[in-house]
Amino acid sequence: MASIDSDPEDAITKEEIAGTAPAPNPEAAGVGVSQGTKRNAFTELMSPKTKTVKDDPAPKTLASTRGALTRSFKERDGLGAYTHDPAAYPASRVIYHTADFVAINDMYPKSTVHTLLLPRSPLSRQHPFDAFEDAAFLASVQAETAKLKRLVAKELRRRYGPCSAQEREREAVLNGETEWEEGRELPRGRDWEKELLVGVHAHPSMNDLHVHVLSPDMISECMRHRKHYNSFNTPFLIDITDFPLAEDDPRRHPGQAGYNNRDLICWRCGENFGNRFKQLKEHLADEFEEWKKE
């Protein structure tokens, strides 16, 4: 497995790998999937085996929860702590867990909602290209990813639905502003799920297999570098539905393709910012406001 030493293909920094980079307070409003969304979606999403995590008045960090059994989960092995003992973490970090999966809010989110799906399987220690050659394992990960996508979409609707033109009719019904026949299906509204970014990185920086499910906005205090942005807005992010990959798929060789060194292109309007990351960040803030209104 890779060490913490700098790797030009890594999508995150050495400090993020080590867990020492500044991170948003997981208890703060507006960080990750909210408890309200989790409660409202619980019946739909969770099997009887699912265990939720109780809120902890003193949120733990990776470092503070490393006991005799978990202290080895360091640096590139850090995600293993969540699959080993998900109950050790507050509900603001661990969204849910089952015998086979753990879903968490990313410690260093790159969008307003950024979650990770962690399989609890020996295959999760393999590179995704290899692990997903197992058809049964791939099918189980794809199915659980679909569940997490629905949960993230519900969170986006909760946050941004009142701002969205596509949600206007639905919001009017829910707010009692429009009469609606009892039993009639609510207006469909915006397809938030369709807008999500979902997949694995062609060159994962962490050793445990993890699937990213996040909103496309790229608004976060943790969005600090060109590679942060390009790792989610180039073929470096491989959709989970694209697996298994063909042997000649160029995404198998991300270093050769140079995805993370490409020009910075706005995900929404397509404007090319070259290497001007600061200007892109300012532009993304404006695009975020317009995106919410769609």
Side-chain angles (χ1 to χ4, degrees):
M1 291 294 180
S3 70
I4 196 174
D5 292 340
S6 180
D7 186 326
E9 293 184 41
D10 279 335
I12 57 178
T13 65
K14 290 195 297 182
E15 291 75 19
E16 287 173 312
I17 292 171
T20 59
N25 179 356
E27 301 290 344
V31 175
V33 173
S34 70
Q35 298 306 298
T37 295
K38 287 160 62 175
R39 284 192 296 270
N40 294 339
F42 182 83
T43 301
E44 176 183 345
L45 286 173
M46 307 305 160
S47 70
K49 295 181 181 179
T50 297
K51 299 177 182 179
T52 54
V53 186
K54 295 181 180 180
D55 286 304
D56 192 324
K60 301 176 178 66
T61 64
L62 278 175
S64 68
T65 55
R66 285 191 186 117
L69 296 177
T70 62
R71 63 188 176 197
S72 63
F73 297 114
K74 298 177 181 179
E75 300 167 355
R76 293 186 190 273
D77 292 324
L79 292 178
Y82 296 114
T83 54
H84 175 76
D85 187 11
Y89 295 89
S92 55
R93 178 68 64 211
V94 174
I95 303 169
Y96 69 85
H97 60 93
T98 70
D100 299 314
F101 294 95
V102 178
I104 67 172
N105 287 312
D106 197 310
M107 178 180 286
Y108 299 112
K110 301 305 186 289
S111 280
T112 54
V113 181
H114 186 172
T115 67
L116 301 178
L117 181 68
L118 311 173
R120 305 177 84 175
S121 164
L123 290 173
S124 67
R125 293 293 290 177
Q126 297 182 15
H127 192 288
F129 295 167
D130 300 319
F132 290 153
E133 292 295 324
D134 185 301
F137 178 66
L138 173 60
S140 69
V141 173
Q142 290 174 332
E144 195 69 26
T145 299
K147 294 180 183 180
L148 184 55
K149 285 173 62 178
R150 292 197 293 273
L151 184 57
V152 173
K154 287 178 181 292
E155 175 65 16
L156 294 181
R157 169 170 277 164
R158 183 194 70 81
R159 292 190 187 200
Y160 309 131
C163 309
S164 174
Q166 297 175 59
E167 294 278 13
R168 194 166 294 147
E169 183 181 13
R170 180 185 175 90
E171 286 288 318
V173 173
L174 292 174
N175 294 334
E177 300 168 2
T178 297
E179 293 187 7
W180 203 254
E181 183 180 345
E182 186 175 353
R184 182 182 173 190
E185 186 176 353
L186 284 171
R188 181 175 176 81
R190 185 168 174 175
D191 189 353
W192 297 99
E193 191 173 324
K194 185 178 179 180
E195 301 184 43
L196 298 176
L197 298 175
V198 181
V200 299
H201 282 151
H203 177 85
S205 298
M206 306 297 283
N207 289 335
D208 290 89
L209 192 153
H210 53 287
V211 181
H212 298 268
V213 180
L214 65 159
S215 55
D217 50 85
M218 301 290 111
I219 297 295
S220 170
E221 65 185 80
C222 297
M223 176 63 67
R224 301 186 179 108
H225 301 282
R226 180 180 187 167
K227 63 183 179 181
H228 284 161
Y229 183 82
N230 276 344
S231 69
F232 291 104
N233 291 279
T234 68
F236 190 85
L237 182 71
I238 306 175
D239 196 295
I240 194 71
T241 61
D242 290 352
F243 286 95
L245 297 183
E247 288 298 324
D248 60 351
D249 193 307
R251 293 173 293 182
R252 287 183 176 273
H253 308 285
Q256 295 178 20
Y259 297 130
N260 288 341
N261 291 321
R262 287 185 176 182
D263 285 355
L264 296 163
I265 308 293
C266 173
W267 67 270
R268 186 167 180 268
C269 74
E271 183 174 348
N272 189 327
F273 285 83
N275 62 358
R276 294 173 293 132
F277 185 73
K278 180 181 178 181
Q279 286 76 10
L280 172 68
K281 285 269 289 184
E282 294 170 350
H283 175 79
L284 290 176
D286 294 333
E287 291 286 22
F288 179 48
E289 297 303 319
E290 295 303 314
W291 171 72
K292 290 187 292 185
K293 298 175 186 177
E294 288 181 4

